[in-house]
Amino acid sequence: MEAIITATELADDLGGPNPPVLLDVRWQLTLTPPGTPPFDGRAVYSAGHLPGAVYVDLDEELASAPGAHGRHPLPDLAVFGAAMRRAGVSAGRPVVVYDGGQGWAAARAWWLLRWTGHPDVRVLDGGLPTWEGALSTEVTEPAEGDFEPVPGAEQLLDADGAAALARSGVLFDARAGERYRGDVEPIDRVGGHIPGAVSAPTTENVGPDGRFLPASELHDRFKGLGASEAAPVGVYCGSGVSGAHEVLALAVAGIPAALYVGSWSEWSSDPSRPVAVGPDPQ
């Protein structure tokens, strides 16, 4: 099953006999000064979205409240399932997810649906900016879907599993290199990385237009960073959002990978966990 879809392919599928459910998951990680309104995904959805798309709130429906397990821990399955059914998601109908172009939020929804057993989910490569058709301002109210999430279809790591994988396989850190090295840390308690993790910024998986690099280039990139058929692969980031985008890039490259959802926001919150700094994994 392909993990991504182009805007041209999506337009064709929407005109076919079994058109996909469309999920709009526009979201931004923004560090705004006090008093500045945060990014409002519902507002940008209302201003214009793909015809038939339903808005899904990443913070409210694709994650639980921030806490001991990080800034974007796994959502309550009842909340997630209800949100997907409200959006019209059913097991027998394909789903296409998009965001504003960065791809992180769409990948989070893609990963969650795959993890909970949906068989046919793709991300619009390059997001909304690649769509050349008309946009709609009408709020979509689809018929209730029948999707019931059953976790376990995709690989999931906890903190101990991530630490073990960094020693026994390959654990990629999808954050920017300066955060991996510990040069800066704008969000979490301390900078650095999980000992043994390899720096693999997710921004290097896409071209200037925001679309993924060709599968062969992605495969060569990850192979050059240590991924192979002989060792399991995992990914973490700051809070399990951009890391999902790296898992998606690995899927495009044909490399299965687990996601550590708690990521650095969970790992670094516990002072007893070791922290490595600098460019070297150890």
Side-chain angles (χ1 to χ4, degrees):
M1 178 60 60
E2 294 292 331
I4 57 176
I5 185 172
T6 68
T8 300
E9 292 168 336
L10 175 58
D12 289 342
D13 286 0
L14 288 172
N18 188 27
V21 173
L22 295 177
L23 304 183
D24 182 315
V25 198
R26 277 178 280 180
W27 170 88
Q28 287 182 10
L29 173 63
T30 52
L31 302 177
T32 55
T36 303
F39 175 81
D40 189 340
R42 294 187 186 278
V44 296
Y45 169 84
S46 297
H49 53 267
L50 294 189
V54 176
Y55 178 72
V56 176
D57 190 308
L58 186 148
D59 291 315
E60 299 294 330
E61 296 170 320
L62 304 183
S64 297
H69 294 295
R71 285 192 307 280
H72 291 105
L74 288 172
D76 179 279
L77 286 180
V79 172
F80 174 67
M84 293 300 98
R85 291 188 294 275
R86 172 188 61 81
V89 174
S90 294
R93 188 176 172 190
V95 177
V96 171
V97 191
Y98 72 90
D99 58 23
Q102 187 181 47
W104 293 5
R108 170 76 175 214
W110 167 84
W111 184 86
L112 279 169
L113 280 164
R114 294 291 297 161
W115 177 63
T116 54
H118 198 286
D120 190 351
V121 190
R122 287 173 290 175
V123 169
L124 177 58
D125 193 16
L128 187 62
T130 67
W131 182 256
E132 296 182 353
L135 299 180
S136 171
T137 57
E138 295 182 8
V139 175
T140 305
E141 297 182 356
E144 184 89 356
D146 64 14
F147 180 67
E148 293 289 345
V150 180
E154 294 290 327
Q155 301 175 74
L156 175 67
L157 295 171
D158 60 11
D160 290 341
L165 186 59
R167 297 188 298 270
S168 64
V170 180
L171 180 65
F172 288 133
D173 184 318
R175 299 172 301 157
E178 58 268 25
R179 292 185 69 192
Y180 170 88
R181 295 189 299 271
D183 299 342
V184 299
E185 182 42 65
I187 307 173
D188 294 311
R189 186 185 66 83
V190 63
H193 57 270
I194 297 174
V198 176
S199 180
T202 195
T203 52
E204 296 178 19
N205 296 326
V206 298
D209 59 0
R211 293 179 173 91
F212 281 107
L213 300 176
S216 59
E217 291 185 28
L218 289 171
H219 187 273
D220 290 346
R221 180 191 185 219
F222 291 121
K223 183 177 179 180
L225 291 171
S228 72
E229 292 77 11
V233 176
V235 179
Y236 75 95
C237 57
S239 65
V241 179
S242 66
H245 189 265
E246 185 117 302
V247 172
L248 176 58
L250 283 154
V252 172
I255 302 170
L259 178 64
Y260 172 26
V261 173
S263 286
W264 190 247
S265 60
E266 178 186 41
W267 182 275
S268 65
S269 68
D270 185 345
S272 70
R273 293 193 182 108
V275 171
V277 295
D280 185 81
Q282 301 300 332

